[in-house]
Amino acid sequence: SDEERIRIETLEHKRWNAYMRAEGYIFSGSTDKSSRNDLAKMHHDLVDYSSLTEEEKRKDSRVGTN
């Protein structure tokens, strides 16, 4: 159902967020993709799930599926 999909997406984003922060990444200061900087360990998607674009939210629902 849509409710289950959103729950899975939210949990996956939280998991990914925790992993990235454990790796030393911080929020880049902007949600624009061009603000991502892997050398400086700055990422534009280190935000709450609700702040993600619909495209990014759908990425979280595809994790673990083929």
Side-chain angles (χ1 to χ4, degrees), residues 16-30:
W16 174 85
N17 218 316
Y19 169 77
M20 293 296 281
R21 290 187 187 278
E23 291 293 312
Y25 276 77
I26 61 171
F27 177 57
S28 65
S30 171

Side-chain angles (χ1 to χ4, degrees), residues 1-56:
S1 71
D2 283 343
E3 185 177 312
E4 290 172 321
R5 179 185 48 78
I6 291 169
R7 187 175 215 186
I8 289 169
E9 290 172 356
T10 302
L11 288 172
E12 171 53 24
H13 184 67
K14 285 181 179 182
R15 185 214 55 82
W16 174 85
N17 218 316
Y19 169 77
M20 293 296 281
R21 290 187 187 278
E23 291 293 312
Y25 276 77
I26 61 171
F27 177 57
S28 65
S30 171
T31 56
D32 188 81
K33 286 182 180 184
S34 66
S35 69
R36 180 177 173 174
N37 182 331
D38 289 320
L39 187 60
K41 291 195 168 190
M42 297 170 63
H43 202 288
H44 63 283
D45 282 339
L46 287 172
V47 295
D48 288 334
Y49 174 81
S50 61
S51 298
L52 294 173
T53 64
E54 288 303 312
E55 176 186 357
E56 295 299 327

